[in-house]
Amino acid sequence: MFARVWKRYIAPVLSRPPRFQVAALCYRHGETGPEVLLITSRTTKRWIIPKGWPIHGTDGGGTALQEAWEEAGVKPRGGRPLRIGRYRYHKVLSGGLPIMTDVDVYAIEVEKLYETFPEAGERQRRWMTPEEAAELVDEDQLKALLRDLPELPDSARRG
């Protein structure tokens, strides 16, 4: 009985390929170097970067821009976002099932933060150094990406 349940229901769930999301690593040039914007997740209030499922009809950079606006109120400073890396995490779906998710990360230079934006009442936002941000996020690959931010070529930091 257990073998049949495992084969038909449990094993297929565990062996599914990873899902895919797109994230925005929003940054600005502070007095002492780059600063990144972290936001809290809506449910667990963990510190994260804006991210979401791909949006039909747009590319990864366009999805990153949309997520940065909806979740953090970001007005970007010109240019197209540049893909700077990828990380993997366990996304917990409604119902509690964790699923492996790959996230492409795009750098977005911030010109301005709006006070009114779609998820304004649901999240907190905070500017911090990349090192501080790396200490607050949970995902090891995202921590590494944040720590490497000052090493990005100028073309990535300037959009």
Side-chain angles (χ1 to χ4, degrees):
M1 169 81 169
F2 179 74
R4 192 170 99 212
V5 169
W6 177 265
K7 187 176 180 180
R8 285 191 178 178
Y9 302 105
I10 299 172
V13 168
L14 297 177
S15 65
R16 287 186 181 164
R19 298 281 179 103
F20 175 73
Q21 289 188 310
V22 176
L25 198 158
C26 303
Y27 70 95
R28 67 181 181 187
H29 300 283
E31 292 178 15
T32 60
E35 297 177 327
V36 296
L37 182 68
L38 291 189
I39 62 172
T40 56
S41 68
R42 290 190 292 186
T43 54
T44 65
K45 302 303 178 191
R46 293 181 309 110
W47 288 103
I48 62 171
I49 59 176
K51 68 180 176 304
W53 304 109
I55 298 171
H56 181 71
T58 189
D59 63 3
T63 297
L65 288 168
Q66 185 65 30
E67 295 300 327
W69 159 246
E70 290 178 4
E71 297 183 1
V74 166
K75 176 183 179 184
R77 181 181 307 280
R80 293 290 301 160
L82 179 68
R83 184 181 175 276
I84 58 169
R86 175 179 271 200
Y87 71 96
R88 181 174 272 195
Y89 81 112
H90 283 95
K91 168 86 174 155
V92 179
L93 301 175
S94 61
L97 180 66
I99 186 156
M100 191 59 68
T101 305
D102 288 330
V103 183
D104 277 355
V105 180
Y106 288 80
I108 297 176
E109 187 174 2
V110 177
E111 181 176 316
K112 176 181 177 177
L113 290 180
Y114 289 99
E115 292 303 315
T116 303
F117 55 97
E119 298 180 14
E122 303 173 61
R123 301 180 186 273
Q124 294 177 33
R125 317 179 277 196
R126 186 185 311 163
W127 286 108
M128 57 192 76
T129 67
E131 295 80 20
E132 292 169 329
E135 292 299 319
L136 291 176
V137 298
D138 288 342
E139 301 81 8
D140 288 338
Q141 293 170 334
L142 180 55
K143 287 176 185 286
L145 192 63
L146 288 163
R147 287 187 180 113
D148 289 344
L149 183 62
E151 303 304 317
L152 289 176
D154 222 25
S155 62
R157 288 202 306 266
R158 298 272 179 213

